[in-house]
Amino acid sequence: MPTLAPYPFTEIEPRWQAAWAKADSFRAAQPGQPGSEKPKKYILDMFPYPSGSGLHVGHLEGYTATDIVARYWRMKGYNVLHPMGWDAFGLPAEQHAVQTGTHPRVTTAKNIANFKRQIQAMGFSYDWSREIDTTDPKYFRWTQWIFLKLYEKGLAYVAEAPVWYCPALGTVLANEEILNTPDGPQSERGNHPVERRPMRQWMLKITAYAERLLQDLDLLDWPESLKEMQRNWIGKSEGAEVDFLVDGTDQKIPVYTTRPDTLFGATYVVLSPEHPSVPSLTSPEQQLAVEAYRKSSASKSDLDRTDLAKTKTGVPLGVFAINPVNGDKIPIWIADYVLASYGTGAVMAVPAHDERDFAFAETFKLPIRFVVQPPQNHKPGICFSGEGVNFNSAFLDGKQTSEAKKEVVRWLEKNDKGRPQIRYKLRDWLFSRQRYWGEPFPIAWRGDCHESLSEQDLPLTLPEMADYQPSPSGEPPLSKAVAWRTMPDGRMRETNTMPQWAGSCWYYLRFCDAQNTQSLCGADAEKYWMSQGGVDLYVGGAEHAVLHLLYARFWHKVLFDLKIVSHPEPFRRLVNQGIILGEDNRKMSKSVGNVVNPDEVIAEHGADALRVFEMFMGPLEQMKPWSSKGMEGAVRFLARVWRLICEETESGNWIDSPSLTDANPDPETVRALAKTTAKVTEDIENLQMNTAISALMILVNHLTGLPKRPKKAVLQLSRLLAPFAPHLAEEVWSRLGGKGLVSLSEWPTFKSEDLMDTTVELPIQINSKVRGKIVVAPSATREEIEAVVRNHPDLSAWSSGKKIEKIIIVPGRIVNCICP
């Protein structure tokens, strides 16, 4: 006798994938095309970087969830845009090119082909006619066009910036790409040493949009925790800019503080090591010490420098500043816990009321002056950073913190020693990379002056090169392409390239109108697909919770101001999927050896089983470990669905089940179908896929237990199953005579009265202890329930023969009989 196979997924899945492709089943209708009269839904995944290692099961979690949602809304009668593409510029392909000489374009194309194969094996309902690749000149032409618009608006500029440079990778890295290690800061990719270097960089003035980026978070249906991360990154604060005069000179050091009420407690001033005034302020006696300190701090990351647990370091400049409110002469220091990128790069140090200043003052025995009264239970001599009442503060004495802030700012303004100010932690976006494999800037240089290329010059493509290695000095690889770099009129092309973020800032717009050769997205298409607040559902990893979303929102607002888009925000609803860990509860990693390859899982169990299992593991947003045993459970569930319609002969062939009937479902089955339909409908819209699958399992159990299974009931099950396990659902639908594709059929409905149970079970208590139960109609009145109880043949046994004096009834809940 042959081994019993769970169900023939190896035959079923390729067949239906081919059928969907042949029918072009998931193509979304553009405005004016048949189908565009339907309401729209735009369901989007954060598109992947096509790495050499291929997809892993973590990618597939989010893709499966969005595919379920897209399939559901399609069956609900919506015109659904569900696209996929490739965020394909990036450092790994360039590093591979440096090591092997293979052009990054070749590596990228190979990786994309592999990713696409894996994605298509899952049966996702993407509209492949809209596939985009950020390295395609037809795409990055519009990335360059958007840059020109930023340039024209004065939002792109050149600056000398202290940046992290990695000699081994030959490029500038963002702060987020730096790791703090015991051996010093290193690159996240490759763990190479990095150093600080001043380099000429292109910057984007995202700070000009800081307030709008903050305020418009209120328009979004995003998790509050994610909004808070964005708020913290933008970092709005209200305070004052205070001028400290350098003793014996006319030079002023502007200092930003959010606690101007503590100004009388300022006992020294600290500049960041990178502050431009440090060389001119340093006394001759301190020059060697200051230069040595500046050099050592250049090798530290911002995170390392601001770590509260670290011992504070610093060097005095040998000069003094004048405290503007009391005339005290206070020393000026440099210390790396002050960052050039925040505020003015200088702080007034109030050690009595700031933890870092306190630690610094303790280390270097600097004065600590309390000016805000701490509560009575506060330990004397310890820093108090809270609010309270001022003392030792002249005209601020006796004032609460909020009033003291206002009063001192008024005084500073009146005496021309300061002014109120709003500041943001958000810094302008460092937008250039010293790499080959990125979008070239549409910029030319004439001497020291830069100017834009014309739109007719786009796309500006990369030259073919044999050597992708940057120069040791940090000059980009494109600086070696002399013929490309030198223009006929003598101008020189920009040799930096854009960061990988550039292509991912606007790809959701290109999906709306991917074939348009005249604009990045036609007005009609944009208004149709981006209506009602933009993308209806955007799903991706939490690692993009700040930067990608912030950058995309910034670009979108610029395009909104240019009247290219019709709504100020791109992503109405956003969900972060949780990480799938290895079976050992550790993050999946090649080095650890716990990566689960979806190719192997699909070969062994099928794509439908993988889809069902990933959704059944737990809530979408939660972190959860992979489980091989859990995978087997998903296979068993789908095998039970299959066996509703088929059974296997002794020769190993599948035949129609003799248990199927054309008869109508009985009332209990009608009720089970209605309850499941209601539950699955609600759960999909709330992204509670795990509980939706639980409801489907309960329904399958019910249908399995029937001696005769109505085809109508199994057909309805196949429609409910279609978003989750579409291949099997199509096979069931087809075998039972369903018309067309189940993926394009109507989502099932139900009657509200079918949700009602025909009977309910009520526990019977005797003196509050459960002794039995009765079955009554849900609509039974108190009188009818009491009659059933008093006439029940077991009542005497329940009450041990005692007389029932009183019956307390909670309809639909419980009956309590009171005996003496």
Side-chain angles (χ1 to χ4, degrees):
M1 187 172 176
T3 305
L4 206 63
Y7 71 101
F9 59 84
T10 54
E11 300 168 29
I12 291 171
E13 292 180 355
R15 179 164 66 248
W16 289 108
Q17 287 166 16
W20 294 328
K22 184 177 179 181
D24 206 7
S25 302
F26 310 123
R27 182 187 286 264
Q30 284 296 84
Q33 294 178 345
S36 64
E37 71 282 357
K38 299 176 183 178
K40 71 91 186 181
K41 285 287 179 184
Y42 186 174
I43 312 299
L44 183 64
D45 299 294
M46 292 185 185
F47 67 164
Y49 171 71
S51 66
S53 55
L55 280 170
H56 56 73
V57 292
H59 284 109
L60 299 179
E61 180 188 18
Y63 300 167
T64 303
T66 56
D67 193 59
I68 289 168
V69 174
R71 286 175 173 275
Y72 165 77
W73 285 114
R74 211 176 274 118
M75 293 175 74
K76 289 276 281 186
Y78 283 71
N79 185 23
V80 176
L81 175 54
H82 187 41
M84 177 50 72
W86 318 106
D87 188 13
F89 278 123
L91 195 52
E94 184 160 345
Q95 286 181 299
H96 185 72
V98 168
Q99 293 159 7
T100 66
T102 307
H103 196 289
R105 188 182 300 112
V106 175
T107 308
T108 299
K110 178 183 172 186
N111 294 346
I112 285 175
N114 185 44
F115 264 60
K116 189 170 182 178
R117 174 193 63 78
Q118 290 182 296
I119 282 175
Q120 289 180 323
M122 288 292 290
F124 295 138
S125 62
Y126 291 124
D127 179 354
W128 286 107
S129 72
R130 296 170 187 263
E131 180 182 7
I132 58 176
D133 167 2
T134 57
T135 69
D136 183 345
K138 292 194 293 290
Y139 179 87
F140 71 67
R141 166 193 178 181
W142 297 108
T143 308
Q144 292 170 332
W145 184 87
I146 295 171
F147 178 83
L148 288 182
K149 297 302 163 191
L150 291 160
Y151 183 84
E152 289 166 12
K153 281 179 66 71
L155 295 170
Y157 65 95
V158 173
E160 281 275 324
V163 295
W164 286 112
Y165 180 75
C166 178
L169 298 178
T171 191
V172 168
L173 299 173
N175 286 333
E176 297 72 35
E177 298 172 290
I178 304 300
L179 298 174
N180 288 306
T181 75
D183 298 322
Q186 296 182 347
S187 62
E188 186 177 35
R189 179 171 295 283
N191 296 99
H192 302 295
V194 294
E195 60 191 42
R196 285 281 198 185
R197 282 191 188 179
M199 296 185 77
R200 192 203 62 170
Q201 302 289 338
W202 280 97
M203 313 289 288
L204 295 186
K205 203 179 289 185
I206 190 173
T207 50
Y209 283 75
E211 188 63 24
R212 286 168 63 185
L213 289 167
L214 196 62
Q215 295 301 325
D216 286 355
L217 287 169
D218 294 339
L219 302 175
L220 304 175
D221 179 10
W222 291 11
E224 191 54 40
S225 59
L226 200 150
K227 288 186 184 182
E228 197 57 27
M229 288 172 73
Q230 293 243 323
R231 289 188 192 106
N232 291 339
W233 193 267
I234 295 166
K236 182 179 181 179
S237 63
E238 296 187 26
E241 188 176 73
V242 183
D243 294 330
F244 281 76
L245 190 65
V246 178
D247 187 35
T249 74
D250 294 329
Q251 187 173 350
K252 293 177 181 177
I253 299 173
V255 166
Y256 175 71
T257 177
T258 58
R259 291 295 302 270
D261 56 301
T262 63
L263 196 45
F264 282 91
T267 57
Y268 58 100
V269 168
V270 189
L271 307 184
S272 72
E274 303 85 4
H275 195 288
S277 297
V278 169
S280 63
L281 288 176
T282 306
S283 69
E285 299 80 12
Q286 288 296 105
Q287 277 184 347
L288 288 177
V290 167
E291 278 308 308
Y293 186 79
R294 292 181 87 190
K295 190 172 181 181
S296 71
S297 63
S299 65
K300 297 180 183 178
S301 72
D302 288 356
L303 204 62
D304 194 33
R305 284 170 57 168
T306 54
D307 187 348
L308 287 172
K310 294 272 185 180
T311 301
K312 294 292 176 285
T313 62
V315 175
L317 296 187
V319 293
F320 292 82
I322 306 299
N323 186 323
V325 291
N326 58 16
D328 284 359
K329 283 173 61 173
I330 57 178
I332 303 175
W333 287 64
I334 60 167
D336 59 14
Y337 77 92
V338 177
L339 302 178
S341 59
Y342 182 65
T344 63
V347 303
M348 62 174 218
V350 185
H353 303 295
D354 181 275
E355 298 285 355
R356 287 179 302 175
D357 295 344
F358 182 81
F360 190 90
E362 288 264 282
T363 302
F364 293 102
K365 309 301 181 196
L366 294 165
I368 299 173
R369 182 183 300 141
F370 283 85
V371 294
V372 178
Q373 191 68 53
Q376 288 186 347
N377 60 356
H378 185 77
K379 190 174 179 182
I382 298 300
C383 173
F384 171 64
S385 58
E387 297 189 353
V389 177
N390 272 62
F391 73 105
N392 286 343
S393 301
F395 58 89
L396 299 181
D397 285 353
K399 288 182 167 53
Q400 292 284 345
T401 296
S402 58
E403 182 53 39
K405 284 181 179 181
K406 295 174 188 172
E407 181 66 27
V408 74
V409 171
R410 282 194 291 266
W411 186 93
L412 289 167
E413 275 197 292
K414 181 181 176 182
N415 290 277
D416 197 26
K417 294 184 177 181
R419 60 218 55 89
Q421 198 167 72
I422 293 173
R423 287 256 178 178
Y424 301 90
K425 279 197 294 187
L426 181 66
R427 299 293 90 200
D428 280 343
W429 177 7
L430 195 155
F431 193 67
S432 46
R433 298 289 185 270
Q434 288 66 52
R435 298 174 184 166
Y436 169 78
W437 194 230
E439 299 92 342
F441 281 91
I443 294 290
W445 288 82
R446 198 183 297 277
D448 291 332
C449 298
H450 48 76
E451 54 193 55
S452 63
L453 301 183
S454 72
E455 292 181 19
Q456 286 68 42
D457 293 327
L458 305 183
L460 173 61
T461 57
L462 291 163
E464 298 298 316
M465 295 184 70
D467 176 14
Y468 307 103
Q469 185 75 46
S471 67
S473 65
E475 281 293 304
L478 288 177
S479 63
K480 301 175 187 176
V482 178
W484 176 87
R485 184 184 185 187
T486 307
M487 299 174 67
D489 60 5
R491 291 181 300 167
M492 304 294 282
R493 296 192 190 281
E494 173 63 58
T495 55
N496 284 320
T497 53
M498 298 185 200
Q500 189 176 356
W501 301 110
S504 62
C505 273
W506 71 280
Y507 73 106
Y508 58 92
L509 289 172
R510 191 61 179 168
F511 278 140
C512 296
D513 201 7
Q515 309 306 323
N516 194 322
T517 58
Q518 303 304 309
S519 67
L520 62 87
C521 179
D524 290 345
E526 189 280 330
K527 283 183 180 128
Y528 180 78
W529 290 117
M530 297 297 288
S531 62
Q532 299 164 343
V535 173
D536 295 285
L537 177 64
Y538 193 31
V539 175
E543 67 273 18
H544 300 300
V546 174
L547 294 183
H548 158 62
L549 292 170
L550 201 62
Y551 295 159
R553 292 179 64 222
F554 164 46
W555 276 33
H556 193 87
K557 289 184 183 305
V558 174
L559 295 173
F560 179 73
D561 290 348
L562 293 168
K563 298 187 170 25
I564 292 164
V565 298
S566 53
H567 190 271
E569 284 289 334
F571 313 118
R572 182 180 65 81
R573 186 183 182 196
L574 177 74
V575 173
N576 289 138
Q577 83 234 25
I579 294 171
I580 294 183
L581 304 171
E583 289 206 62
D584 55 3
N585 265 297
R586 290 191 287 177
K587 190 171 180 180
M588 286 193 190
S589 162
K590 272 186 177 180
S591 59
V592 176
N594 63 351
V595 173
V596 177
N597 184 335
D599 290 350
E600 296 170 6
V601 178
I602 291 171
E604 185 176 356
H605 301 299
D608 280 343
L610 178 52
R611 290 170 64 114
V612 167
F613 173 60
E614 290 220 5
M615 293 298 96
F616 193 57
M617 288 170 74
L620 180 63
E621 298 92 336
Q622 283 187 7
M623 184 182 293
K624 48 237 172 216
W626 183 263
S627 164
S628 298
K629 286 188 177 179
M631 186 72 227
E632 292 164 9
V635 175
R636 284 195 299 271
F637 163 60
L638 295 179
R640 296 189 80 196
V641 173
W642 177 247
R643 289 169 190 277
L644 291 175
I645 64 161
C646 288
E647 61 181 44
E648 193 175 33
T649 64
E650 289 188 5
S651 60
N653 295 316
W654 293 99
I655 61 169
D656 291 345
S657 170
S659 299
L660 289 167
T661 175
D662 291 321
N664 287 325
D666 60 53
E668 189 179 353
T669 301
V670 169
R671 194 160 48 253
L673 288 166
K675 285 186 172 181
T676 307
T677 302
K679 177 66 173 163
V680 173
T681 299
E682 180 183 11
D683 284 352
I684 290 178
E685 293 194 14
N686 291 323
L687 299 182
Q688 293 170 339
M689 309 307 183
N690 55 327
T691 53
I693 292 168
S694 294
L696 289 169
M697 289 175 169
I698 292 168
L699 177 60
V700 170
N701 288 345
H702 172 83
L703 295 175
T704 301
L706 296 176
K708 289 290 182 181
R709 289 188 283 278
K711 290 180 183 177
K712 287 181 181 176
V714 182
L715 280 166
Q716 183 159 336
L717 166 67
S718 72
R719 285 191 283 163
L720 294 172
L721 185 66
F724 301 89
H727 309 89
L728 180 56
E730 292 284 10
E731 189 71 15
V732 171
W733 178 261
S734 174
R735 283 177 177 254
L736 294 185
K739 292 181 180 178
L741 294 166
V742 73
S743 298
L744 303 180
S745 66
E746 288 186 16
W747 186 252
T749 57
F750 57 90
K751 297 176 182 176
S752 56
E753 57 265 31
D754 290 339
L755 296 173
M756 301 295 295
D757 289 314
T758 54
T759 59
V760 292
E761 199 174 77
L762 294 179
I764 304 300
Q765 294 181 340
I766 305 295
N767 292 337
S768 301
K769 290 185 179 179
V770 176
R771 299 298 187 192
K773 59 187 177 183
I774 61 171
V775 175
V776 297
S779 59
T781 64
R782 280 185 169 82
E783 292 74 16
E784 290 168 338
I785 294 170
E786 183 167 345
V788 171
V789 172
R790 289 193 180 278
N791 293 311
H792 200 285
D794 294 334
L795 181 61
S796 180
W798 293 340
S799 65
S800 302
K802 294 178 181 177
K803 182 182 176 183
I804 305 296
E805 288 190 349
K806 183 181 179 183
I807 297 181
I808 301 169
I809 297 170
V810 181
R813 297 284 299 280
I814 204 162
V815 177
N816 190 12
C817 302
I818 307 301
C819 299

